[in-house]
Amino acid sequence: MTSSAAQRDDAPGHRPPRGTSPAQVTLDELTRPGGEVLTDRKGRLVVRHGDLVVKTHMAEEELEPLLARLRLAADPRLGDVLLSPRRIRGGHGGLLAPVDGRLVSAWPAGTALCVDDVEAHVEDAPWTAAAALLARLHTTDLASLAPAPVPAAGVCARLRRSLDRMEAAVAGATEARAAGAQAAGAASVRGIERLADDVRRAYPTLPSWLGRTPARPGTAPALIHGDWHLGQVVRVASAPASAADAGWRIVDVDDLGWGDPAWDLARPAAWFAAGILPAEVWGTFLGAYREAGGPAAGPDGDPWEALDGPARAVAVQYAAGAVTDLAADGTPFDEGADAFVACARRMWSGR
């Protein structure tokens, strides 16, 4: 969640004016020392060098699916929705380069939303523009993208990864305590295990299809982002000021692909269900999405038949992440962590 009140030029978001063709990025530019670290979390490193943002992808990312996603982001037919990557001279497909055994991509730098401001002034965030962007993404004709391959969205792998990381972190805390080391700050291993058990017991209560396929059985798949939240939108300086979307574009396409569009509404839906996102903000977002033709929750009526499963999966994912951070780094629970672990507890206990 974010507010448009304060922004910064520290994330992909600025494109050169239309009609220009920026020079291809060289390997030397990708590997130059220094730069401003924007993100270094969960195996992804994002560094800014002036007008260039260099992203090192997770070690487990496979070349072909990631390259297919970057080709989609570079497709001009999606240029009013997704930020286009920079071309890399000599890279795989001109979009990815191997650096020290990892895949690296290049992006233009631009204006991102400030997370602290969003949390402080959530009602001021660009919910309407973001909803319109998602609706445009979800109504993209998948057949029109042929012959470009559209991979399955990475939502199932993301959910599994969050649980695997939690188990590894909890096991590490247990081993450290057994060896006599202080583990997870002031949190006891027994307390961490109880929290992890809430997550473990909540997972089997999710609809079974969520762990197998990104598309709900019996529904038509759409092109989805796969990890959408307000931190994934940036302002594009070259977009017309009068544009309905106010120049916002979606970034971070590592999970882009076909799937149930409900996944992209799942985070704000989970925030609302957990009591973190105000009802009026959720209503504004959902209403704007429906008005723009978004298909995830139907044109009207109760949206939860479609959103419930993915929203509960995101709650489990958030809870697992909170337990992971507590076990691995001693990061204390904040209001959000408490809310999502409580959600996980309610899922299995029925209370």
Side-chain angles (χ1 to χ4, degrees), residues 28-326:
D28 286 343
E29 291 177 283
L30 291 176
T31 57
R32 77 179 89 167
E36 178 188 1
V37 176
L38 306 180
T39 302
D40 186 5
R41 181 171 168 78
K42 295 181 179 178
R44 292 187 175 101
L45 176 65
V46 182
V47 179
R48 178 177 175 171
H49 300 278
D51 292 334
L52 176 69
V53 170
V54 178
K55 178 173 183 176
T56 301
H57 298 267
M58 293 190 304
E60 56 262 41
E61 291 281 7
E62 297 179 6
L63 172 61
E64 289 305 325
L66 183 56
L67 184 56
R69 292 179 169 112
L70 290 177
R71 283 173 173 152
L72 287 169
D75 191 321
R77 291 169 293 184
L78 294 170
D80 64 345
V81 181
L82 302 175
L83 180 69
S84 292
R86 292 280 303 272
R87 305 288 298 183
I88 299 175
R89 185 179 303 163
H92 297 296
L95 294 170
L96 280 169
V99 176
D100 296 331
R102 302 281 289 277
L103 293 171
V104 173
S105 58
W107 304 84
T111 305
L113 291 162
C114 178
V115 174
D116 289 342
D117 285 325
V118 169
E119 292 178 348
H121 308 285
V122 65
E123 69 281 354
D124 294 332
W127 292 103
T128 299
L133 276 178
L134 278 182
R136 286 211 300 275
L137 180 70
H138 295 166
T139 53
T140 299
D141 181 5
L142 286 172
S144 73
L145 300 175
V150 178
V155 288
C156 300
R158 175 176 289 277
L159 178 58
R160 287 194 298 270
R161 207 159 50 232
S162 69
L163 296 168
D164 290 344
R165 284 179 174 145
M166 182 190 76
E167 296 297 355
V170 171
T174 302
E175 291 171 6
R177 180 56 59 89
Q182 180 68 25
S188 70
V189 170
R190 184 173 299 174
I192 291 171
E193 274 288 355
R194 283 198 298 267
L195 295 169
D197 200 47
D198 284 329
V199 179
R200 295 183 187 113
R201 297 174 74 176
Y203 178 72
T205 72
L206 301 177
S208 60
W209 68 269
L210 291 170
R212 298 193 308 269
T213 173
R216 187 165 36 130
T219 62
L223 183 62
I224 69 172
H225 180 267
D227 184 31
W228 189 87
H229 51 83
L230 277 182
Q232 308 286 34
V233 294
V234 297
R235 192 183 292 279
V236 179
S238 60
S242 60
D245 58 27
W248 296 105
R249 296 294 182 271
I250 299 174
V251 298
D252 192 5
V253 296
D254 292 35
D255 295 305
L256 182 72
W258 60 263
D260 187 339
W263 281 109
D264 286 345
L265 274 63
R267 289 204 185 205
W271 295 334
F272 166 66
I276 298 170
L277 188 67
E280 59 272 18
V281 176
W282 165 247
T284 295
F285 172 73
L286 179 62
Y289 175 81
R290 283 171 157 172
E291 185 175 351
D300 51 36
D302 184 359
W304 288 99
E305 180 180 355
L307 301 184
D308 181 68
R312 289 196 289 133
V314 165
V316 170
Q317 182 178 307
Y318 270 124
V323 175
T324 299
D325 291 343
L326 176 64

